[in-house]
Amino acid sequence: MEKIRDAILSGADGATIAALGIPDNYRAAHILASEATMWEGVASENKDPRKSLHVGDVATPELAPDEVYVAVMASSINFNTVWSSIFEPVSTFGPMKRLSRESDWAKRHDQPYQVIGSDASGVVLKVGSAVRMWKPGDHVTVHCNHLDDQDNTAHNDSMMAANQRIWGYETNFGGLADLSIVKANQLMPKPAHLSWEEAAVNALCNSTSYRMLVSRNGAAMKQGDVVLIWGATGGIGAYATQYVLNGGGIPVCVVSSDEKAQILRDMGVQHIINRKTAGYQFWKDEHTHDESEWRRLGGDIRDLVGEDPDIVFEHPGRSTFAASIYVAKRGGTIVTCAATSGFMMEFDNRHFWMRLKNLVGSHFANYQEAWQANRLIAKGMIHPVLSQTFALNEVGEAAFQVHNNMHEGKLGVLCLSPEAGLGVTDPEFRAKVGEANINRFRRAS
Ligand code: NAP
């Protein structure tokens, strides 16, 4: 892999890169099937990714005709990195076993280990015999929608595909590694003004927020819409906030610290709620809601913006869901992609049906949505929200920080790239976009 890295860093052309060959094994962050029950009896918050995430060599799988090998320069931590490492809500070895039954090529995914990671930026090393849009040497980012496009259900909206999976979460050979194997239809052009790690953190969260808010498959936000955004400086929230600002909406952002509120003010957000200071207690105890607290949140939103939200960007799940349903405007939309705090929801349906609200389930993004979201990054209209960068060997620590909500925005991971800041091929456009925009979430260290 060193030869590959040196060639990329020296700006070698595609033919030179193609001639280097593919190593038999590569360094990868992985979890082990033999440890899938290691957290039995341990409370979620005490499960420590530093103990279950390993970094070491794994064998390079053969390349299927519709796949490419990517030299991964950088990757990122997603919340699914946490889910994988704490084996919640289920161990991911089950989904991979099911995948392995689909075809001879799919059998490769059934291993005693799983290389995790659902984001990457890097360079195409080799393409399978059926790949026609990409070639060795291309600088790419990778989105995580993994599907079999021979299945009729994978067409129209590919997120509706019966066999849709998230690469590096429900499949093997993910992006937190020096090498990855991805389907050609996961590739997108790397934004030229960004470094490897800035380019690597976007695809999963940016595309998810795009579908949730901008796409007709999500809430289809329009100008002037008031949008309540939970976790507005977290992975998906930080992109959601940018989409609302860019699209002429009015964000009402919820965060849990003054530092996060300051980032939002710097982005131009006017309406911010600090949920820690407000001290909302939507649940009296594990089984009992406190409706007066839903009303208090609704009142706080009205005090700030003078009306109820047209859209609620929901993902904390059980802890906030009933309040989200309550505060949405009559006829408004609650769009949800997750349930970080618990997935068994309960809400007062009277507020939902009597006020004719809509609930939209959303999951990642189809290729077209991911491409559009990537294009907005490439045009400098949406910016990466990278706050810190870790080495691949520190992946456990990085996942630990996300699990414990110690971060803002996204945490980048350097894989083959030896240091941060490399990979910018259009410095003039970078200067035009502005370091302040690109580095908005960067932590002083
Ligand atoms: P993240 O970076 O940890 O951000 C989540 C934010 O939510 C946190 O920063 C926190 O912000 C807020 N939050 C956490 N617990 C909360 C609670 N109980 N009540 C209110 N706010 C809470 O994670 P992320 O990357 O944004 O992902 C968020 C969720 O979406 C995860 O469950 C993830 O798995 C899921 N997700 C799903 C998809 C999909 O395709 N379906 C894609 C991406 C992510 P404050 O502390 O500042 O309020």
Side-chain angles (χ1 to χ4, degrees), residues 26 31 33 59 61-64 66-67 92-116 146-147 163 165-174 180-183 186:
Y26 64 100
I31 52 174
E62 237 185 294
L63 193 66
D66 60 346
E67 292 177 341
T92 44
F93 287 94
M96 283 192 301
K97 215 167 236 347
R98 285 194 290 283
L99 165 61
S100 73
R101 293 187 203 115
E102 288 188 357
S103 71
D104 281 346
W105 284 111
K107 286 193 179 101
R108 294 168 302 165
H109 291 267
D110 184 17
Q111 302 287 345
Y113 60 84
Q114 180 188 16
V115 178
I116 60 165
H146 178 283
L147 52 89
N163 52 15
R165 290 182 171 86
I166 298 297
W167 160 69
Y169 179 63
E170 294 160 302
T171 79
N172 217 321
F173 320 128
S180 190
I181 296 85
V182 305
K183 296 210 179 223
Q186 289 176 250

Side-chain angles (χ1 to χ4, degrees), residues 139-156:
H139 289 196
V140 293
T141 59
V142 181
H143 76 74
C144 62
N145 184 12
H146 178 283
L147 52 89
D148 171 2
D149 59 13
Q150 291 178 37
D151 186 328
N152 75 83
T153 61
H155 294 269
N156 192 3

Side-chain angles (χ1 to χ4, degrees), residues 77-80 83 159 166 204-205 208 230-238 254-257 260 275-276 315-317 319-320 336-341 362-365 402-403 405 407-410:
I77 303 296
N78 280 296
F79 212 93
N80 73 8
W83 296 128
M159 286 307 297
I166 298 297
L204 190 147
C205 285
T208 301
W230 291 104
T233 59
I236 51 175
V254 186
V255 285
S256 62
S257 75
K260 292 178 178 181
R275 70 180 170 101
K276 280 272 159 61
H315 54 93
S319 62
T320 56
T336 175
C337 74
T340 314
S341 65
S362 192
H363 187 41
F364 186 58
V402 172
H403 186 26
N405 198 14
H407 68 300
E408 299 91 31
K410 294 282 305 173

Side-chain angles (χ1 to χ4, degrees), residues 3 74 88 188 195 231 242 261 334 349 352 374:
K3 274 192 201 149
E88 278 192 28
M188 308 186 291
S195 66
Q242 294 187 65
I334 302 94
N349 200 22
F352 185 64
N374 187 63

